[in-house]
């Protein structure tokens, strides 16, 4: 297949490209030289690097588009300027891709576009799947709702659209785990707040295998929850991580401290999201790591 990929140098994108070596990939990146350096061991001669979509008048010739571009949502406080960067990095790239799909006489057969479980907001301890419709006023929901709305404009009889409502992606080379693992290694790990909020986690291998599954499943379309079928509470997750690292688990981080440090974005740590990947399992996807302890054990052992 001939693929157009955005966000290929990010945490998920880097791992995904390892699974696309039999395909021809055109990679959109802001810095071509940096991307070539980052993907030095992944690129088997199948990747063409471009820094802009301006030279394209359509996407004829591409079989699929995988859109993973976006400013990291949890790296900085949500100032007005940072919120704009988060929105623009997602919405503008997606809008341009949709415009090019519409301009195509032979458009790509599938458009896979990013989103997140932040779409759902805090659902407490209630399990739910993709059929849950949400209308909220918080920033994370607004970002995802508009992102998905733009992407779905590409849907037609010729192009199916799949939305990746991604949970907390766990892997040894980046993502949320890279940010939280040091305190645990120092024996300072513990739950956040009361620890009862559910974490919709997914192993990086299942994340990219799931994307490939959507790419290859001709009837797949619409939103998909990319998270393990077995979400766990923050307390259970914290104990499992400490156990995988062979470290104690007795401290906790008070909610007020994180709210003070992170401001509005602290909701990403305290919202309880017990999402189920119903649609992924319905198309026959089997998780390599459905349970948290084996997943963390695998990641920690690979990182040593």
């Amino acid at each position: 297949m001939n693929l157009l990929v955005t966000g290929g140098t990010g945490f998920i994108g880097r791992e995904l490209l390892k699974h696309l070596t039999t395909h021809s990939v055109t990679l959109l990146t802001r810095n071509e030289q940096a991307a070539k350096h980052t993907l030095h061991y992944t690129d088997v001669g199948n990747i063409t690097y471009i820094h802009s979509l301006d030279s394209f008048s359509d996407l004829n010739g591409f079989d699929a588009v995988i859109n993973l571009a976006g400013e990291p949502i949890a790296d900085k406080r949500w100032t007005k300027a940072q919120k704009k960067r988060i929105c623009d990095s997602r919405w503008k790239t997606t809008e341009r891709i949709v415009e090019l799909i519409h301009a195509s006489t032979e458009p790509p057969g599938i458009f896979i576009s990013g989103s997140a479980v932040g779409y759902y907001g805090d659902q407490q301890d209630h399990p739910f799947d993709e059929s849950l419709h949400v209308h909220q006023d918080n920033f994370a929901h607004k970002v995802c709702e508009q992102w998905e709305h733009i992407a779905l404009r590409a849907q037609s009889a010729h192009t199916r659209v799949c939305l990746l409502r991604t949970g907390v992606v766990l892997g040894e080379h980046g993502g949320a785990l890279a940010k939280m693992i040091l305190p645990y290694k120092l024996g300072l790990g513990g739950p956040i707040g009361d620890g009862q909020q559910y974490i919709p986690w997914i192993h990086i291998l299942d994340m990219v295998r799931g994307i490939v599954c959507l790419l290859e499943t001709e009837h797949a379309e619409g939103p998909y929850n990319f998270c393990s079928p077995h979400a766990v509470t923050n307390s259970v997750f914290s104990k499992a991580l400490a156990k995988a690292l062979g470290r104690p688990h007795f401290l906790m981080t008070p909610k007020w401290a994180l709210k003070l440090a992170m401001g509005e974005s602290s909701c990403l740590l305290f919202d309880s999201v017990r999402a189920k990947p119903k649609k992924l399992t319905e198309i026959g996807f089997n998780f390599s790591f459905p349970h948290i302890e084996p997943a963390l054990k695998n990641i920690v052992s690979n990182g040593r």
Side-chain angles (χ1 to χ4, degrees):
M1 296 177 74
N2 191 15
L3 311 176
L4 173 63
V5 177
T6 76
T9 58
F11 174 48
I12 297 171
R14 294 194 307 270
E15 191 65 29
L16 175 63
L17 289 173
K18 296 177 185 177
H19 293 252
L20 299 178
T21 54
T22 59
H23 301 282
S24 176
V25 175
T26 297
L27 181 65
L28 177 66
T29 176
R30 287 174 293 183
N31 188 322
E32 294 180 33
Q33 289 306 120
K36 289 177 181 178
H37 177 76
T38 298
L39 301 173
H40 176 70
Y41 295 106
T42 304
D43 188 351
V44 294
N46 67 313
I47 301 176
T48 300
Y49 301 83
I50 60 172
H51 69 274
S52 171
L53 292 173
D54 290 346
S55 61
F56 290 89
S57 56
D58 56 58
L59 295 181
N60 291 333
F62 286 105
D63 300 298
V65 180
I66 303 174
N67 178 32
L68 304 176
E71 172 84 4
I73 197 166
D75 280 9
K76 299 176 182 178
R77 287 179 72 94
W78 288 350
T79 63
K80 185 176 181 179
Q82 182 62 11
K83 283 184 174 182
K84 188 176 187 303
R85 280 191 289 270
I86 288 169
C87 293
D88 287 350
S89 64
R90 288 160 172 75
W91 299 348
K92 288 187 176 181
T93 300
T94 307
E95 283 177 342
R96 181 59 181 148
I97 291 170
V98 171
E99 288 172 359
L100 290 170
I101 289 174
H102 285 166
S104 305
T105 55
E106 296 182 4
I110 178 172
F111 177 31
I112 299 176
S113 191
S115 185
V117 293
Y119 168 86
Y120 298 109
D122 185 5
Q123 297 296 325
Q124 301 177 2
D125 63 350
H126 307 296
F128 60 89
D129 58 34
E130 295 89 349
S131 63
L132 179 67
H133 295 287
V134 178
H135 299 285
Q136 296 189 0
D137 197 38
N138 65 74
F139 177 66
H141 171 75
K142 287 182 176 180
V143 171
C144 295
E145 182 182 46
Q146 180 64 5
W147 198 6
E148 293 185 4
H149 177 71
I150 295 167
L152 286 170
R153 293 174 188 162
Q155 182 83 31
S156 72
H158 305 288
T159 303
R160 56 192 174 93
V161 176
C162 294
L163 305 170
L164 308 177
R165 290 183 179 166
T166 305
V168 178
V169 185
L170 304 177
E172 66 268 24
H173 298 305
L177 197 59
K179 297 180 177 69
M180 67 175 70
I181 203 166
L182 181 57
Y184 283 84
K185 287 183 175 180
L186 296 174
L188 302 174
I192 297 171
D194 64 11
Q196 295 310 297
Q197 65 273 32
Y198 275 86
I199 299 176
W201 65 275
I202 186 170
H203 192 291
I204 184 66
L205 178 61
D206 285 326
M207 181 73 214
V208 299
R209 286 182 56 246
I211 294 174
V212 173
C213 181
L214 294 184
L215 193 66
E216 297 175 347
T217 305
E218 293 186 358
H219 61 277
E221 62 180 36
Y224 285 81
N225 291 337
F226 268 65
C227 49
S228 160
H230 303 288
V232 294
T233 63
N234 176 262
S235 179
V236 170
F237 176 89
S238 183
K239 288 177 183 177
L241 179 55
K243 181 179 179 181
L245 291 166
R247 295 293 188 271
H249 179 265
F250 59 90
L251 297 178
M252 60 87 68
T253 304
K255 189 172 184 176
W256 66 264
L258 282 167
K259 280 192 170 183
L260 185 64
M262 298 177 64
E264 185 183 356
S265 65
S266 63
C267 69
L268 298 173
L269 300 176
F270 295 114
D271 283 354
S272 184
V273 183
R274 199 176 178 182
K276 297 289 186 180
K278 181 183 178 183
K279 289 181 64 177
L280 261 183
T281 55
E282 284 179 342
I283 62 173
F285 182 77
N286 292 310
F287 284 80
S288 297
F289 295 96
H291 297 283
I292 192 63
E293 286 201 6
L296 288 173
K297 183 178 180 181
N298 171 264
I299 292 166
V300 169
S301 62
N302 286 344
R304 286 175 175 162

